[in-house]
Amino acid sequence: MIRNWLQQLRIQLLLAALLVAAWVWIVEPTLGTQWIFFLIMIIATGVPHGSLDFYVEQSQAALQQNKFSILRFFVRYLVNMVVYAVIWFWMPSIALLIFIFLTAYHFGQIDWPFHRPGWMNPFLFTLLGLFFIVFIITIQLQETAPVLEMLTRDTLPVGFWQQNGAVFAIGSLIGLSVLIILVPVYQYTQGTSPNQIAGWLLQTIFWCIFLYKMPLYIGFAFYFGCWHSLLSFDLIRQQLKLPSTSAGWGELMRKALPFSLVALAGIAALVYFFAEQWQMNTSMGYIFMGIAILTLPHLQVFSGLVNYIALNRKK
């Protein structure tokens, strides 16, 4: 029983997070080391987990016996990216809000184990994701405020975050606390297993503490690059019917490699042409912008995958 418990991916990732926390506590990595850790996570798993969208949608079409057009897929994907990129350059504050809500939905959807038909569960996991994103942004404003100022082209300057950041942080913490109390009650009334509820509760509390205690770039990199991305990879692996072995995961990474290289080249070009003097804040801001531009079409594909898996598990 203990062996099966330890083999669960979520448990393995939480144990890995504890090892990262121990490393940070013992070594106290410099800001440069934190940035390197962040970039490794983005390159190794963060971007690649969104580079399998072509295979995911192709597989979805085959399972649902729908016609799949390669040309239509890539045209729609690129048009979404271009439109969102234009919004970033012309209305950066609006683009940032869109990104926050897209990320809230996407992160919440992966963290949520209670998928059911209806509007209540998407509403709850979007709130969960939103509170997490705001919490991450506002608990370490010394690092995030300059990046947010750059992303919004001074529309939301550092002074704005210094004056209002504490309010957002407290609000997100209150929101998370309310969900931690109400979600177990609601799920219990829906017949959800107490073990499943307890697992979600411990997972949520763990990430609140981890993200609060870790340096920004390490905490977010692990949450996004390991937790979110590897859980997403696992869902894709199941969808593509690849075994849960080193060979299966290797095949998954091989499929992701070409699209990952294209996406990383695009992000690198964005940083190269627009970042000012290779300063960390501006470079990091454009990395986030590149990830954001990739998020919109990725969300459309991945939400369909999660919903499909959830519906078929109920059958």
Side-chain angles (χ1 to χ4, degrees):
M1 180 176 177
I2 294 177
R3 183 179 178 182
N4 291 336
W5 182 75
L6 289 174
Q7 287 176 342
Q8 295 181 29
L9 181 58
R10 288 177 184 256
I11 299 299
Q12 292 171 349
L13 293 174
L14 291 175
L15 292 174
L18 289 175
L19 291 177
V20 170
W23 167 62
V24 171
W25 181 65
I26 294 170
V27 177
E28 296 184 4
T30 64
L31 185 58
T33 302
Q34 296 171 34
W35 200 35
I36 292 171
F37 181 88
F38 175 86
L39 291 176
I40 290 173
M41 290 292 100
I42 294 300
I43 293 170
T45 55
V47 170
H49 95 275
S51 299
L52 291 160
D53 291 345
F54 169 79
Y55 295 103
V56 170
E57 187 144 318
Q58 186 181 52
S59 175
Q60 284 283 94
L63 289 171
Q64 297 172 348
Q65 298 182 332
N66 295 329
K67 185 178 179 181
F68 178 74
S69 168
I70 297 176
L71 178 61
R72 184 169 55 191
F73 170 82
F74 282 112
V75 168
R76 188 184 75 239
Y77 209 91
L78 291 173
V79 166
N80 282 332
M81 289 174 59
V82 170
V83 169
Y84 194 27
V86 170
I87 295 174
W88 267 109
F89 282 101
W90 287 98
M91 295 179 288
S93 297
I94 300 298
L96 178 63
L97 287 176
I98 293 172
F99 178 55
I100 288 173
F101 279 99
L102 287 177
T103 307
Y105 182 91
H106 189 41
F107 279 11
Q109 190 178 42
I110 295 300
D111 283 0
W112 195 253
F114 311 121
H115 292 286
R116 290 190 181 91
W119 65 271
M120 179 57 78
N121 281 281
F123 173 73
L124 288 174
F125 71 61
T126 301
L127 273 184
L128 175 68
L130 180 61
F131 291 139
F132 258 119
I133 294 302
V134 175
F135 183 67
I136 292 169
I137 290 173
T138 55
I139 57 173
Q140 300 193 50
L141 283 173
Q142 184 176 356
E143 286 81 15
T144 57
V147 175
L148 292 167
E149 180 182 56
M150 189 282 299
L151 285 173
T152 60
R153 297 184 187 174
D154 301 337
T155 305
L156 298 176
V158 171
F160 169 85
W161 296 105
Q162 290 174 341
Q163 293 176 5
N164 302 285
V167 175
F168 294 130
I170 293 171
S172 65
L173 187 58
I174 291 173
L176 287 169
S177 300
V178 170
L179 287 179
I180 285 171
I181 295 170
L182 294 184
V183 167
V185 175
Y186 171 73
Q187 292 300 330
Y188 186 76
T189 64
Q190 300 298 304
T192 303
S193 161
N195 287 338
Q196 191 177 24
I197 294 172
W200 173 85
L201 188 63
L202 291 174
Q203 162 192 304
T204 304
I205 294 173
F206 175 87
W207 286 119
C208 287
I209 297 172
F210 181 85
L211 292 167
Y212 177 74
K213 299 296 289 184
M214 289 297 98
L216 172 67
Y217 293 124
I218 290 178
F220 178 76
F222 192 90
Y223 178 72
F224 171 62
C226 282
W227 176 260
H228 174 80
S229 298
L230 290 179
L231 290 179
S232 300
F233 264 127
D234 195 46
L235 289 176
I236 298 169
R237 179 193 61 76
Q238 296 173 45
Q239 173 77 0
L240 300 183
K241 294 181 169 47
L242 295 172
S244 182
T245 62
S246 58
W249 282 89
E251 176 65 12
L252 204 62
M253 297 305 293
R254 186 192 67 78
K255 288 179 178 293
L257 183 60
F259 298 109
S260 298
L261 292 176
V262 173
L264 289 168
I267 294 173
L270 195 66
V271 175
Y272 180 79
F273 288 109
F274 294 100
E276 299 175 2
Q277 300 177 353
W278 292 94
Q279 294 177 356
M280 184 174 293
N281 287 338
T282 55
S283 298
M284 194 61 68
Y286 282 108
I287 290 173
F288 274 112
M289 187 183 295
I291 293 171
I293 291 169
L294 294 168
T295 297
L296 179 59
H298 169 63
L299 175 63
Q300 294 173 329
V301 173
F302 209 82
S303 292
L305 168 63
V306 175
N307 292 334
Y308 179 83
I309 291 175
L311 285 174
N312 281 274
R313 280 177 178 169
K314 300 299 179 183
K315 294 180 179 180

